[in-house]
Amino acid sequence: MADAAQPVSKPMLTRRNLLIGGGAGVGLVVAWAVWPRHYAANLTAAKGEHIFNAWLKIGEDGHIAVAVPQAEHGQGVWTTLPQIVADELGADWRTIAVEPAPLNQLYANPMAASELFEGAFDRLPQGLRDGHVTSSALMLTAGSTSIRQFEGDLREAGAAARVLLQMAAAKRWGLDWRSCGTAGGFVVHGKDKLRFGELAAEAAGGSVPDPVPLRGGETGRLTGQSLPRLDSPAKVDGSVNFAGDVRLPGMVFAAVRAAPAPDATLLDCDTKAAEKIRGVVAIVRKERWVAAIASDWWAADRAIAAVRPRFRIPGTPGSTTTIRRALDTALKGPGVRMVSAGDVGAAFKGVSVVTATYRADPALHAPVETRAATAAWTDGSVEVWAPTLAPSLVRAAVAAATGVADGAVVIHPMPIGGGFGINLEHDAAVQAAMLARDLKRPVQVMWSRAEDIQQDRPRAPALARMAGRIDNQGRITGLLTKIAAPATGRELAHRLLADDHTALAALSLASGRDGYAMAGATPFYQIPSYAVDFHEADIDLPTGHWRSGAHSYTCFFTECFIDELAHIAGTEAMSFRIGMLGGDARLARCLTTAAALGGWEGGVTGSGQGLACHSFRGSHIAVFAEAHIDEDQSIGVDRIVAVADCGRTINPDVVKQNIEGGLVFGMAAALGGSTKYKGGWAESLGLGGLDLPRLADVPDITVELIPSEADPGGVSELAVPPVAPAIANALQSATGFRIRSLPLKVGEA
C-alpha cells in the first residue's frame, strides 16, 4: 500500500472538468482524482489496464478491478462494494475483481472514526472532524460503515466510467451517447454492442456531465441480487493468502512473549536453553517483550517456551477479583450524566422502585487467526504485510517504533481470519518491523494462541444498576441506568491515535464522559423520564474494540430489565415492548414477525422462550430464542429466530450471512468467551478453556429480512447485542429464575 497522496493544488476545478490524464503506462485518470476533496488518486495499473478513477480500472481483456478501501474479515465487503460499482457500470459480474485500495485521503472513513471513537470528537464541528479524518487518510473498517460511507462514492465512480464507455462507443457509431446503454459488460445500442475491454483505452479520457447521471431502470440491476461472493472460491480451495501465508526470500519466523500489562517490563530470560533448540537463529530482547527467531515457526515457538521470561508488573496486578471490586467501587461513587429526559427524580419520588444489578465480564475476541505480520527492509524503508482494519494507523505505529518517516513505510493489507475488532491493534506489525530491522532480513511474527489470548484487549467488563418505576396501568414512567465501566473509547483513542494532536485535544474536552463505553444505553423506548449515568472505573486491564462494542452489554442490561419489568407489570413481554415503541414501526414489525416465526407463547413459565430487540447503526433487529438448562446444569440453546430491517440491501445473502454469524458470535459470548485473571495473567490460554459452543451446540437458526427502501443501515454487528438477553429471558421463562451476569452461568444471579 503506497503512501497517501499529497494535496494537489488546481485552479478553479469543477466536477465538469475533473477528467485529467495519467502518466505513460498507467492509463488515463478520470479524475475526480482531486474529487471532491482535492486529493490525487494513486492507483497503479498493470499492463493492459486503464485507470478510470480512484475506484476502478478496466483491462483490455474486459476484467474490471475495483479498489476496496475496507478490510475483508468475513463480512463480505469485498463483494458488496464491487457490486455497487458493477451495478452502476452495467458490468458482467464474472469479470469483476477486487484489490485493496492504496493509502489515500480519498478512502478515509469519517463515519467509522465517529462510530469507533464515539463521543471523542463531539466537541469539534462535524466539518472540521470529517476534514481532519480525511486529511490524515484515516482508513478504517469499523462500526458497520462500509456501505453507509462508500455507496455514494462507488455509485458515482461506476456511473462516470459507464458514461465514458458510452461516449467512446457512440463516437464509433456516430450517435449521441445518451442513446446508448450498458448491460452484461457491453455498451449496447439496438443490436450493436461493444465490449468494455475494447473501449477501455479510448474511454479513459474526456469529461463527464455534472452531475454524473446514475443508471436508471429496474431491469438487469445487480443491486439487490444475492450474487456469489468474490472471496469464497479462494477460501474454499485454500488459495487465499493470509498474513501467515506470506513467504519472502531469506525469511525467518518469530514467536514472542510480551508482558501482560502495558507498563510491565522484561526482567530476564533463559536464552541459553532456547539457543540449544535446533533451527533457532537468535533470541531478541526488547523492553516489554522477547522474541525467539528460527528457521520455522514451530522451532521458534518451542524456543520461546524455553526462554521462560520473567516480567516486572508495577503496582497491584489486575485480577478478576480486583476488576469486580473496581467496578463495584465506581458504581457506588459519583457518575456523569450522559443523557436524560423528563424528571427521573420526580418519577421515583415517594413510590416503590424496582431495582436490579447486572454484570458483564471481559469478552475475548478469540478469532480463528491469531495475530501475525511479516516485515522486510530495503534501503531504509520497510514493507509490512498485516491483517489490519486501520492501515494508516499501522503505518504510523511502525514509523514511530522504528524511527523512520511515514513515507518510508508501505503497508500491504491482508485478508483477516475473523478478528472481531482486535485487528485495529498493531502490536504484531510493530514487532515484525523492529525484528526485521535488527536482523536485516525478512521476519514473520505469528502469535501462539496463548499469546493471542494473553495480549488480547477484550471488550470491557461492566456493572449496571437498573432502576424503574411502573405506574398502576403497568407502564414504565421512569428508568435510571447507572453503568460502571472503564473508559474504553478514551483508551482506544489514546492508544491508536497517540500521534494525532487534534484527536487528543478533542479528547481533553470530554470531561470524564465516554460515549463509547455507554453506547446503546440510551433507551429507544418511549419512556417519559429516563437518565443514563456513566461511572468510570479503573480496572488495570487494557480493553479494546469488540464486535458491537458496548452495545453488547448495554443491550443485555436494558432488555433483561425490560423483561423483568414486564413480569412485574403482569404484561406479556412482546406487547409490553410494542406499547413503548411509539412510532418506531420498523422495530415493531421486527418484533411481531420474530414472535410469529418463532411461535411465541407469551413467555409463560415453562415455555423456555425469550425475546429481545435492538436498534443501532441505522438498522433494527428482534431475536426470539428457545433455551433450557440440562441436568448437568449446562445451558442449551434450541432455536434462534432473528428478523432484521437493515434498509435497502445490496446483497441479501451477504446480509443474512452477517446476521447469522453475529447470532453465533453473540451466543458464544453469552455462554462463554471469557477468562478469569490472576496476577495480571489470563488463566485460560486456549480455545478449549473458553466454553465456546461447538458445531453440535449451534441451534436451528432462522434469519428473515424485512424489505425496506430506507437507506442501508449497519449489518455486521447488528445481531450480536440482542442474542444474550434473548437467551437470558428464555432461561427465565424456562426455570423461573433470572441470570443477571455475562457469560450466563447457572447459579449466578
Side-chain angles (χ1 to χ4, degrees), residues 73 144 363-364 420-421 459 545-556 559 612-617 620-623 640 642 644 655 657-671 714-727 742:
H73 55 99
S144 302
L364 299 174
F420 314 119
R459 184 209 63 201
H545 181 60
W546 187 87
R547 189 176 184 181
S548 78
H551 288 264
S552 59
Y553 56 73
T554 57
C555 180
F556 176 72
E559 283 298 286
C613 60
H614 197 54
S615 293
F616 78 136
R617 316 273 200 242
H620 311 269
I621 188 169
V623 173
I640 294 177
V655 172
Q657 290 161 16
N658 274 274
I659 292 174
E660 184 169 337
L663 294 172
V664 175
F665 182 82
M667 187 186 92
L671 304 181
V715 170
S716 62
E717 302 170 295
L718 177 64
V720 176
V723 178
I727 295 172
L742 283 177

Side-chain angles (χ1 to χ4, degrees), residues 627-709:
H628 68 277
I629 296 177
D630 290 319
E631 293 182 0
D632 62 358
Q633 300 300 290
S634 63
I635 295 172
V637 181
D638 304 302
R639 191 158 63 108
I640 294 177
V641 176
V643 177
D645 181 344
C646 308
R648 176 169 39 82
T649 58
I650 303 300
N651 188 312
D653 271 3
V654 170
V655 172
K656 288 184 177 180
Q657 290 161 16
N658 274 274
I659 292 174
E660 184 169 337
L663 294 172
V664 175
F665 182 82
M667 187 186 92
L671 304 181
S674 186
T675 181
K676 295 187 182 301
Y677 293 87
K678 184 176 181 180
W681 296 89
E683 292 189 357
S684 299
L685 296 177
L687 294 180
L690 301 183
D691 294 324
L692 298 174
R694 304 188 181 197
L695 186 60
D697 302 317
V698 176
D700 176 71
I701 295 176
T702 300
V703 175
E704 183 78 13
L705 299 181
I706 291 182
S708 174
E709 289 304 314

